[in-house]
Amino acid sequence: MTPGWLMDAGLAVSVVGLALLVVLARGMFTSVVGFVVLGLPLAVVWVRLGAVDVALTEAALVSGATGMLLLAALARLRGAEARIEPEGGSTILRLLAGLLAGAVGVAVAVAVLLLPETAPSLAPAVSHDMPALGIGNPVAGVLMGFRALDTLLGCAALVFALVAVWSFAPDRFWGGIPGPAHAMQRRGPLLLLARVLAPVALLVGIYLAWIGADAPGGKFQGGAVLATGLIILWLAGLAQPPPVARRWLRVVAVAGPLVFVGVGLAGMVFADAFLAFPPGLAKPLISLIEAAMAVSCAAIIALLVAGPPERAA
Amino acid sequence: MTVPGRAIVFLLLWLVLAGMDLVDLAVGVGTALAAAWLSGRLWPSSGVAVRPPGGSGADGGLMVHWLDVADPVAARITAEREAA
């Protein structure tokens, strides 16, 4: 029994146990906290599988940002939980849902077990063409060099998500400040966390965005960490989100996708296709897109967590 | 800690993360300065002065109270009572 085997077994028990906690917990708060905690062993699982980029995404976006979204939703539902839970569905419905989920799990397990010993892979082709891009991170190479259209659509989806959230604003608050007002902390752990973590989040977020071309990281992960710094400042009352009517805010939110589209269109002129990079300019252009997208991602994720405008500017 | 001191700490953190590459270092210097500026805005160097009055308790044990002599405790409590 090797240490690696023991670690994997511990991770498997943690993941399954926490997943059961999320599903079976009586209270919504326990479920949400379980979901956030579940992200940590899942991220370590991805590291064990050699997918550090996915691990960062799991920790920053799935567990971190989504967890905060769920906590924010829970705060809005406070008081209504007692009315919602009894209407959670009949026993038969729950049983059917459980059976369906179990069947999906078994199907996925069978599919994994039936994979051929040497899985079909485009990795050799990607590795062959990576030097032309001039970047060292194969994940970034696939996302920006070979599946750039998918990545662009993912970036655009963030903007549409933000518009959708803002559209929930009552008419009288349209253009106002997102989310509820948070009292300014005078003392306590939240104030300490905000003062210490916000500058560190700034540094780590920029670092992740900067090194994404050559090492695990990138615009989404860096943007999520930057967003975390903003959110904790807002929660501690040391700053507040800008009114959504501010033009600069909207420019920041769409800058990343617009730069992405602009580079793509330039590819039609200077290279041979939309989103194609001229020879020798791939890395600078990818870095430009990543930088603009990191800023947009940070703003959008933070504003998604803040929610629709709830106060006048 | 002063803001320049914090900038050095943030730069060291960057070096730990990114290494000594010159291009990375240029970005790191800018990032460390930005982080130090933000830190200074959030938590200005106050030069908090503390002194430890000591004494012995009823059981003879050593008692030490660390007081922040710059903290206007009396004024704050008075204001809170008046507000209540």
Side-chain angles (χ1 to χ4, degrees), chain A residues 24 130 235 289:
Chain A
L24 299 176
M130 276 293 290
L235 289 176
I289 295 170

Side-chain angles (χ1 to χ4, degrees), chain A residues 115-259:
Chain A
L115 283 175
E117 278 299 314
T118 307
S121 173
L122 292 173
V126 170
S127 300
H128 180 266
D129 291 331
M130 276 293 290
L133 291 174
I135 60 180
N137 182 5
V139 175
V142 170
L143 289 176
M144 301 301 297
F146 306 112
R147 304 302 298 265
L149 186 58
D150 293 333
T151 310
L152 171 59
L153 293 176
C155 298
L158 279 176
V159 177
F160 286 111
L162 183 61
V163 172
V165 167
W166 283 358
S167 71
F168 283 103
D171 286 349
R172 66 183 186 283
F173 293 140
W174 176 249
I177 300 171
H182 294 282
M184 185 176 179
Q185 302 290 307
R186 300 282 178 191
R187 61 182 69 84
L190 183 56
L191 177 64
L192 179 66
L193 275 176
R195 284 171 158 175
V196 173
L197 287 187
V200 175
L202 176 69
L203 186 136
V204 174
I206 292 176
Y207 165 75
L208 284 175
W210 171 249
I211 52 99
D214 292 315
K219 52 194 173 300
F220 291 121
Q221 296 89 338
V225 174
L226 290 171
T228 306
L230 278 175
I231 292 164
I232 198 167
L233 287 179
W234 295 345
L235 289 176
L238 297 175
Q240 67 173 357
V244 302
R246 294 279 161 81
R247 189 168 299 279
W248 67 262
L249 179 68
R250 300 180 181 195
V251 169
V252 166
V254 300
L258 284 183
V259 168

Side-chain angles (χ1 to χ4, degrees), chain A residues 9-24 38 41-42 45:
Chain A
L11 284 171
V13 170
S14 303
V15 168
V16 173
L18 284 165
L20 286 173
L21 172 71
V22 171
V23 175
L24 299 176
L38 175 61
L42 276 181
V45 166

